[in-house]
Amino acid sequence: MKKICILIVLALLIGNSGSFAQQIVWKEIEPGIWKGIVGKPESYDLLKASGAKPFEEGLLKLAKTGFPLQQDDISASLTDGKVYLQFPLQKEEQLYGFGLNFQTVHQRGKILQLHTDHYGGKDNGRTHAPTPFYVSSKGYGVFINSARYITVYAGTGVRKNSTNPEIAKDRNTDKTWSSRPYSDAVEIIVPATGVEVYVFAGPTTMDAVRRFNLFNGGGVLPPRWGLGFTQRVKSLYTSAEVEKEAAAFEEKGFPLDFIGLEPGWQSKSYPGTFEWARQRYPQPSQFVQQMLAKGIRLNLWINPYVSKEAPFYKSIQPYTGSHTVWVGEVPDFTLPEAREAFMGQLKKDQVDIGVSGYKIDEVDGYDYYLWPDVASFPSGISGEQMRQTFGLLAQRYTNELYRNKNQRTFGLVRASNAGGVSLPYVIYNDYYNHEDFITALINSGTAGVLWTPEVRASKTAEEWLRRFQTVVFSPMAMINAWSSGTKPWSYPEVASQIKELALLRMRMIPYWYSEFAKYHFEGTPPFHGMALEEGFKQEIKKDATNKNLEENPYAEATSKEIKDQYMAGEYLLVAPLFTGQTTRKVVLPKGKWYDFYTGELAGDGEVITVTPGLDKIPVYVKDGGVIPMMPAMMHAPKAGEKVDLEIRYYGTKPGYYKLYDDDGETFNYENGAYSFREIRVIKNAAGNFVGSITDPVKGKPNTVGSVTWKFMSK
Ligand code: GAL
């Protein structure tokens, strides 16, 4: 009896507060991807919300390799009713990822709580895409498939049982004392009693990113028109004003592929009715068709919070959450009934009359706007899980409307997460710091998302031009004039430079499109930071001496991160200047780099200082770089339209490029209706460059007209 009592007391004591070591059994589920299960994973997670399925064809093409870490160095426990995870971290190792951060690229030493939110000016885990994925400079990646608020200690905790413990130093006498002693682990808390964990092999950091992207279905391949220029008009514009705006673009010779209508297209907004405002858009169908006839598509702003006056309110009402957002009801998109009502309205009222896509706003935060975590949803998904996945669900099911029509869409969204890699949306926000927008562009490449450093308005013509220069070298070239009403030509002093940039964006569509195809088929993010570039070695300071020990012993000795230059596709290094800057340093990775505009040698694996003038954004091309370009058209080529190519080649190394081609608008590429044509440039016996391109592939779409060559480096 006594024994039983003791056992019961012990069991009660251990109960919730105990810590139970968990054995992780690793299983290779795809080449170079291992899944480990801890405890009993929840039935709802990021991959379930997004519906992402691995892109097998792409994964099979990556090199076979072993488990990238010592399995014994990864441990898990169930502690306090939560999963505690621990991954190894070597001294000279840097970490990238943990979502769409805006101010930092290096994540080692961070404490983050990954939580979907509107970015609030601090890299603390609260962001539009708090993707629980990181990659290491040692060439591997880790993904935690949970729709919970995950806490990450990315190398901060100093464990007593470390096999490589830090030695205590005397701050009184030792100048190498550090307030951040070496931590040998990334430690993670998942507030659930089980979770799936994935490990991605390299061998390079980029390979680990590729495997993650391919595992999530491969990157999105936008329609060609999505890569053209887009203007968002003032909120309360009428159809007549939109038509006038389009005419002004045409008249002034500015390219334009799609116009974004903001809340005023709806009869009511905040909360929305999801039907046209007839006083502003009396004949929606005719209007959309007339715009299409001019080669201009329409993208509609929504936030998915339903007004009582929405025509489908009654049918969706039972399938919405317990709390409202701006008094609009929150659809539980995990339920087919909610999707049918909501998406049915979008289909009938907009998609079926030719609207090309959506901007899905305010699915991220702030806390005061969205439902609180105590909210409940009819499916049983918690407020927290819904917060982490609402953006994914909205993207997934709006995209389905277009898939069902075999038409690609390309829109905007303010929240995403792991699993959203193949969804055709670009993240934007209300924050407007140009420098931080570029850092976000870098981090988008390790967060499985796309990001646009949108241009809205500027205090000066200089700022307008500097911002415009970067948006042209980004996934979506957009002016968001919903409130400002600005046009590309609004700053007359720089209007001609702006026009030139917009035309350059158009000329580069063959390059952008092929780079996005690599995102889809190979998992390579089209926009990414230098850390993913081969030949770019980031110094990680070992025992940096703290020079300021007496004044501030807690100052961190960190290695300098490169967060103001990035790669745009395989060959281009973009080094923006910001307002007030006339000169900057550019870190060129190993090898020779050439000026994009002139073809001249810019440097060879060195740090250069450049003074490009206001009109130029510095762009450098890797040795052997091939950039396919087309004439500066006013709209992206239509499905199947043949376009002449000018193939530019830079440097001296043999040139190679895979030019992607398909119809540009449908999903037929998923059934094989595409080709990659190989472009080569070599030096012949006489010392002259000669270019060649393989023949169009029989039976596949061929949109290439005549080909001319431009050897840029003399
Ligand atoms: C904001 C959004 C802006 C604009 C505005 C319209 O939330 O970020 O881009 O769409 O709403 O109300």
Side-chain angles (χ1 to χ4, degrees):
M1 188 60 192
K2 210 173 171 188
K3 260 191 193 158
I4 292 174
C5 278
I6 291 170
L7 276 180
I8 290 174
V9 169
L10 262 181
L12 284 175
L13 276 177
I14 295 170
N16 251 349
S17 60
S19 179
F20 304 93
Q22 302 288 309
Q23 168 85 9
I24 314 177
V25 180
W26 294 103
K27 192 171 162 221
E28 188 169 6
I29 50 154
E30 299 288 344
I33 304 176
W34 289 262
K35 176 178 176 176
I37 292 182
V38 181
K40 191 173 175 295
E42 297 182 285
S43 57
Y44 187 68
D45 56 37
L46 298 175
L47 295 177
K48 297 233 173 61
S50 63
K53 296 273 170 306
F55 181 54
E56 308 278 348
E57 191 190 311
L59 283 165
L60 289 171
K61 287 196 181 125
L62 283 167
K64 275 218 154 100
T65 161
F67 197 86
L69 295 161
Q70 291 294 327
Q71 290 189 0
D72 288 353
D73 290 346
I74 306 174
S75 64
S77 70
L78 260 179
T79 302
D80 197 17
K82 298 170 193 152
V83 172
Y84 285 22
L85 296 164
Q86 186 189 305
F87 296 88
L89 189 57
Q90 291 177 37
K91 278 211 164 137
E92 286 157 57
E93 189 169 356
Q94 191 47 267
L95 304 176
Y96 310 97
F98 295 119
L100 191 65
N101 286 298
F102 284 74
Q103 295 179 340
T104 51
V105 177
H106 292 177
Q107 298 306 315
R108 184 179 186 139
K110 289 289 203 52
I111 298 174
L112 303 163
Q113 199 188 37
L114 304 179
H115 188 140
T116 306
D117 201 349
H118 190 286
Y119 181 67
K122 276 198 185 112
D123 284 8
N124 57 9
R126 281 191 176 243
T127 182
H128 308 270
T131 316
F133 169 69
Y134 69 93
V135 282
S136 155
S137 56
K138 298 280 177 200
Y140 66 88
V142 174
F143 164 47
I144 315 294
N145 181 22
S146 167
R148 295 280 172 193
Y149 304 147
I150 295 172
T151 307
V152 178
Y153 300 90
T156 57
V158 182
R159 297 176 313 115
K160 288 202 303 189
N161 67 351
S162 170
T163 48
N164 190 9
E166 183 71 305
I167 298 152
K169 289 175 180 168
D170 174 18
R171 204 181 90 183
N172 294 340
T173 54
D174 189 343
K175 289 236 180 305
T176 68
W177 183 92
S178 164
S179 62
R180 301 278 191 102
Y182 165 57
S183 162
D184 73 345
V186 175
E187 293 171 287
I188 293 174
I189 300 176
V190 184
T193 51
V195 70
E196 288 177 5
V197 180
Y198 294 84
V199 168
F200 302 84
T204 66
T205 311
M206 179 63 108
D207 287 328
V209 172
R210 287 190 180 113
R211 284 186 213 269
F212 172 76
N213 287 339
L214 292 168
F215 175 67
N216 281 272
V220 49
L221 179 63
R224 275 197 180 90
W225 59 259
L227 301 174
F229 191 77
T230 179
Q231 171 85 11
R232 303 200 72 84
V233 298
K234 273 193 107 158
S235 209
L236 294 179
Y237 257 32
T238 62
S239 53
E241 285 169 310
V242 175
E243 277 164 10
K244 218 173 120 204
E245 181 119 335
F249 268 77
E250 199 181 321
E251 201 188 290
K252 292 176 189 291
F254 276 85
L256 183 61
D257 268 292
F258 56 113
I259 287 186
L261 307 185
E262 289 284 322
W265 76 269
Q266 279 181 77
S267 59
K268 290 211 164 116
S269 68
Y270 291 87
T273 53
F274 307 90
E275 62 179 11
W276 292 88
R278 294 291 169 151
Q279 70 275 32
R280 286 183 287 276
Y281 297 87
Q283 289 174 305
S285 174
Q286 211 182 63
F287 164 64
V288 175
Q289 287 308 316
Q290 274 167 4
M291 294 300 289
L292 284 174
K294 290 182 202 149
I296 294 165
R297 291 174 164 77
L298 291 166
N299 172 289
L300 301 184
W301 175 100
I302 52 168
N303 67 11
Y305 308 116
V306 184
S307 159
K308 285 199 167 53
E309 286 169 63
F312 58 101
Y313 175 74
K314 275 215 173 72
S315 41
I316 203 164
Q317 205 280 332
Y319 308 103
T320 56
S322 59
H323 290 61
T324 60
V325 177
W326 292 299
V327 204
E329 304 219 7
V330 185
D332 184 338
F333 286 129
T334 67
L335 297 173
E337 294 88 343
R339 302 201 291 267
E340 227 158 84
F342 188 94
M343 301 300 164
Q345 170 68 12
L346 267 48
K347 176 178 180 319
K348 181 176 83 194
D349 200 51
Q350 300 121 46
V351 179
D352 281 354
I353 65 167
V355 165
S356 302
Y358 291 91
K359 164 176 171 179
I360 308 169
D361 204 19
E362 289 142 345
V363 285
D364 45 353
Y366 300 103
D367 283 0
Y368 291 103
Y369 296 164
L370 291 207
W371 58 92
D373 291 346
V374 296
S376 61
F377 287 86
S379 62
I381 305 278
S382 71
E384 174 184 3
Q385 292 168 310
M386 196 56 97
R387 182 77 176 261
Q388 295 296 69
T389 58
F390 198 58
L392 281 178
L393 295 168
Q395 291 178 71
R396 173 181 180 181
Y397 295 113
T398 46
N399 182 39
E400 219 173 74
L401 293 170
Y402 290 94
R403 281 201 154 266
N404 293 342
K405 290 181 66 172
N406 194 22
Q407 285 293 315
R408 282 180 246 168
T409 180
F410 199 46
L412 292 143
V413 74
R414 242 174 52 184
S416 195
N417 213 322
V421 180
S422 69
L423 296 170
Y425 289 90
V426 182
I427 301 181
Y428 66 98
N429 69 7
D430 283 341
Y431 187 72
Y432 202 48
N433 180 303
H434 193 194
E435 283 92 332
D436 292 357
F437 271 20
I438 299 310
T439 305
L441 198 49
I442 291 173
N443 288 324
S444 67
T446 47
V449 297
L450 299 172
W451 160 258
T452 172
E454 68 171 37
V455 187
R456 268 173 243 151
S458 295
K459 290 202 186 75
T460 61
E462 178 194 359
E463 183 194 341
W464 185 251
L465 186 53
R466 288 302 189 203
R467 284 186 181 271
F468 204 91
Q469 287 169 346
T470 53
V471 88
V472 156
F473 285 88
S474 87
M476 192 180 273
M478 171 170 73
I479 293 180
N480 178 11
W482 77 275
S483 150
S484 62
T486 50
K487 325 269 181 255
W489 52 86
S490 285
Y491 298 78
E493 311 93 290
V494 294
S496 68
Q497 292 94 315
I498 295 281
K499 185 166 167 179
E500 195 138 310
L501 280 159
L503 295 176
L504 176 64
R505 169 77 182 193
M506 297 308 287
R507 298 192 64 200
M508 291 177 73
I509 284 182
Y511 178 70
W512 299 131
Y513 198 53
S514 292
E515 293 306 314
F516 270 97
K518 290 181 198 164
Y519 189 29
H520 175 71
F521 288 95
E522 298 168 8
T524 310
F527 295 88
H528 59 261
M530 304 314 298
L532 300 187
E533 270 308 289
E534 249 173 82
F536 187 80
K537 275 271 165 288
Q538 188 69 59
E539 286 295 306
I540 296 164
K541 285 190 188 163
K542 277 186 220 156
D543 256 341
T545 304
N546 193 340
K547 293 189 186 74
N548 201 15
L549 206 52
E550 262 149 49
E551 263 170 54
N552 179 12
Y554 307 104
E556 295 164 44
T558 49
S559 50
K560 197 179 166 335
E561 52 185 2
I562 305 294
K563 54 179 190 173
D564 61 355
Q565 64 178 65
Y566 60 95
M567 295 299 298
E570 182 176 353
Y571 286 124
L572 301 180
L573 188 163
V574 183
L577 273 84
F578 305 102
T579 310
Q581 263 186 332
T582 50
T583 179
R584 63 159 292 164
K585 285 195 164 55
V586 184
V587 185
L588 299 173
K590 213 165 123 198
K592 292 194 170 85
W593 291 80
Y594 296 84
D595 185 290
F596 172 67
Y597 308 97
T598 64
E600 272 165 40
L601 179 68
D604 187 346
E606 62 193 294
V607 179
I608 56 171
T609 301
V610 294
T611 309
L614 186 59
D615 299 353
K616 288 249 145 45
I617 174 170
V619 179
Y620 303 98
V621 190
K622 206 183 277 183
D623 195 0
V626 173
I627 313 290
M629 299 185 56
M630 67 173 208
M633 295 162 61
M634 288 300 111
H635 311 288
K638 291 196 266 304
E641 183 179 348
K642 275 208 166 37
V643 174
D644 294 343
L645 281 190
E646 175 192 288
I647 302 178
R648 290 191 180 183
Y649 162 81
Y650 293 80
T652 56
K653 274 191 177 173
Y656 180 75
Y657 197 71
K658 280 165 76 176
L659 180 77
Y660 179 72
D661 203 359
D662 68 8
D663 66 31
E665 287 184 15
T666 73
F667 289 95
N668 295 352
Y669 67 92
E670 290 182 349
N671 303 316
Y674 72 90
S675 66
F676 277 105
R677 290 173 67 181
E678 292 185 302
I679 297 172
R680 286 195 170 78
V681 177
I682 49 158
K683 220 175 214 177
N684 66 12
N688 299 320
F689 289 117
V690 258
S692 64
I693 176 166
T694 53
D695 287 340
V697 182
K698 271 216 179 85
K700 307 288 180 188
N702 170 22
T703 68
V704 178
S706 71
V707 174
T708 51
W709 300 85
K710 204 164 172 185
F711 304 111
M712 296 292 293
S713 309
K714 297 280 153 353

